Structures are given as C-alpha cells and as structure tokens.
Amino acid sequence: MIFESLSVEKWMLPNNIELHGVRQGKGQSLIFIHGAMGDWRSWEPQWRAFTEHFDCISYSRRFSFPNKNHQASPHHSAIDEAEDLKHLLDLLKIDRAILVGSSYGGFTALAMALKSPNRIHTVVAIEPPMMKYAYFTEEGRNIAENFRTTTIEPANRAFKSGDDLLAAQIMTGGINGASSQVVSGVAMERRLQNLQAMKMIALSTDEFPLLRPDRLSALPMPIMLFSGLNTQPVHKVIFDNLVAAMPNAKAVRVANAGHGVSREQADFFNKSVLTFLGKKVATTIDT
C-alpha cells in the first residue's frame, strides 16, 4: 500500500479546526478532496500517477478520520468545507492550486472556486451531489424526491435514533447502489470510520446549498466534470443539469463506473485528468 509509507501531517487552522493529511511531490500544488464517507486515504489509486507531476496534498475534511473536530451548530455544508480549504491553502502558503474532488469533495471544490476564483487554477469534480440541481427539471424533481424518501429520510431517522450503522448502510446503498463494492468488507469498515462526517451532513439544516448556475457558468478556470454511466439516477440527473448549466466545462461520462469513478476506473480517470492538465501520459486518451 502506497500510503502506508507516508507520514500523516496535522494542520491546525485559524478557525480551530484540525485537518490531517499527506503531502508528496513537486510542482504545481494539487489538492485532492474526498467524498462524504471517505478520508485522505481515498485517493491512493491516484497518488503515484499524480505525485510524478504535482505537489499533491490529500487531506481529511473537517469531520473525517482521524480529525477530532466537534459540530458547533446543526448547520454544515460544502460552504464551510470551502472555508476550511481556504484556510489550509493560506496555512501551507499555496497561492494557487488545482482541485480534484469526488462527490461531496467535488461540491466543495466548486464552492471554493466560487469563493476564491483567483486561488484556483483548475477544477476536476466527480459527480458533485448538488441536490438542488435535480429540481431544475420535472424528471429530476421526481427522482430527487424518491431519493429523499428512500435514502435520505430513512438514514436521518436512523442517525437520530442512534443507529449509526444502519444509517451508514442506507446512505451507502442509496448513493452507490446495493451491488457496489463499498457496501461491505474492508471498504465499508473504512467508511464506518467516517460516520461523523456523513452524520454532520445528513443532519445539517442545509446540506446541499445552491451554487447558482450563473455564477458557476462564469467561473474563469478550466473545469472537468466526471460521471459514471452506471451511476444512480439521482446522480445522473444532477450531473446532466449541472453540465447544462456549465457549457464551458469538459464533461466526461465513464463506462463501467458508478459514483466512484476515480476508484472504479482509476487508470482511465488518472490519464484523462493528467491529459486535461497538460501532462504527457503513456497512452492517448479518447474521451
């Protein structure tokens, strides 16, 4: 395992939030941002390919393993995560960075790009779960409401009743599909280490704040958006509406992948992103 040989760093932000992560490589700074139940270890399939070209940082977001932060209020969202990321860039004296985010990490990356566009060189986002975008169409509204009644509401009830394991299983199945490799085994065990992160999003007063389409379409940096062709319907409709709202972004739909594109089709993802970032790779990518 690549990450086992790395020393985990702890960064204390000026807002009294601690973040843990790893850093390796040289060149332009590139920040990996994981999803709702991931942590800094989520990007191991990317590490070797990207550290050859970039100064890479993979960190655990506010409530993810092994951070010991506590929730101060019932409100938490990608806006807060973007604020943490800005503090991290300041602390590490990074003027401008590439952001690569998956799921809620992709949501965070786009929120950060809106917050400080001059600090962001490029954004790569995999299926950011920006739920309000599903409601832009009648089909999407129906899909989103079904997802809410079959996944979000049952998971929230389980969290509120203290059955965190059941909540994690419901949410994982709803997000990734019942047949996904992450619903059992070692992958699920690791996800359970990040229950607090999922819980804080699930119980937030506004876990999916709207990033306005007109502001996203006006972002000046190159943006690449990924989705798996086998993803769940709610992710597909969000992605379709997001792509429609961001005509200048490069959209890539990946065969034989669901919500976890960077994990499920790591080689294709790595080569596609490196090509987008102007790095030479061993084979030609046809996207």
Side-chain angles (χ1 to χ4, degrees), residues 116-152:
S116 302
N118 61 312
R119 304 288 300 274
I120 308 306
H121 180 279
T122 306
V123 173
V124 177
I126 305 168
E127 294 193 0
M130 296 157 61
M131 286 293 293
K132 288 184 173 65
Y133 275 70
Y135 289 83
F136 288 0
T137 61
E138 183 176 355
E139 177 192 14
R141 186 181 303 111
N142 293 334
I143 291 172
E145 285 301 315
N146 181 66
F147 181 74
R148 180 166 293 279
T149 57
T150 60
T151 299
I152 294 178

Side-chain angles (χ1 to χ4, degrees), residues 80-99:
D80 304 293
E81 296 286 353
E83 183 68 18
D84 289 349
L85 179 53
K86 182 178 182 296
H87 284 312
L88 181 62
L89 293 180
D90 292 342
L91 182 68
L92 299 179
K93 302 186 185 309
I94 297 173
D95 293 329
R96 204 157 175 252
I98 297 163
L99 303 183

Side-chain angles (χ1 to χ4, degrees), residues 146-268:
N146 181 66
F147 181 74
R148 180 166 293 279
T149 57
T150 60
T151 299
I152 294 178
E153 291 176 358
N156 287 1
R157 286 195 295 269
F159 274 131
K160 290 176 180 177
S161 70
D163 195 340
D164 290 353
L165 175 58
L166 176 60
Q169 292 170 333
I170 293 171
M171 194 65 76
T172 299
I175 292 172
N176 295 279
S179 62
S180 171
Q181 293 180 353
V182 299
V183 300
S184 62
V186 175
M188 188 61 182
E189 291 175 8
R190 182 176 290 185
R191 293 171 74 81
L192 293 177
Q193 293 180 312
N194 291 292
L195 268 174
Q196 184 72 358
M198 174 60 77
K199 190 173 185 178
M200 292 303 97
I201 293 174
L203 300 182
S204 173
T205 53
D206 186 10
E207 69 271 42
F208 303 116
L210 177 66
L211 303 184
R212 284 172 31 198
D214 59 323
R215 295 190 64 206
L216 287 178
S217 67
L219 284 172
M221 73 288 295
I223 297 174
M224 190 177 203
L225 303 173
F226 280 90
S227 180
L229 286 175
N230 297 338
T231 198
Q232 296 298 290
V234 69
H235 297 308
K236 180 183 184 302
V237 72
I238 290 171
F239 188 78
D240 288 346
N241 291 342
L242 179 60
V243 169
M246 300 179 67
N248 295 329
K250 180 178 176 61
V252 181
R253 292 171 173 84
V254 184
N256 301 313
H259 190 56
V261 169
S262 58
R263 177 187 67 254
E264 297 168 24
Q265 292 295 332
D267 188 58
F268 177 84

Side-chain angles (χ1 to χ4, degrees), residues 26-28 49-55 274 279-281:
K26 294 181 180 180
Q28 172 77 47
F50 283 82
T51 52
E52 291 182 4
H53 303 280
F54 299 101
D55 165 33
L274 287 170
K279 301 300 179 182
K280 292 183 178 180
V281 292

Side-chain angles (χ1 to χ4, degrees), residues 6-61:
L6 301 181
S7 298
V8 180
E9 299 184 49
K10 176 181 175 180
W11 300 295
M12 185 60 66
L13 306 183
N15 57 354
N16 294 319
I17 294 295
E18 68 171 34
L19 301 178
H20 289 78
V22 292
R23 186 176 190 178
Q24 190 178 44
K26 294 181 180 180
Q28 172 77 47
S29 293
L30 185 150
I31 316 294
F32 287 111
I33 317 170
H34 63 80
M37 291 187 73
D39 54 54
W40 67 268
R41 300 169 296 182
S42 299
W43 297 100
E44 189 162 21
Q46 282 64 57
W47 201 248
R48 184 169 291 163
F50 283 82
T51 52
E52 291 182 4
H53 303 280
F54 299 101
D55 165 33
C56 293
I57 297 165
S58 180
Y59 74 100
S60 291
R61 293 188 294 103

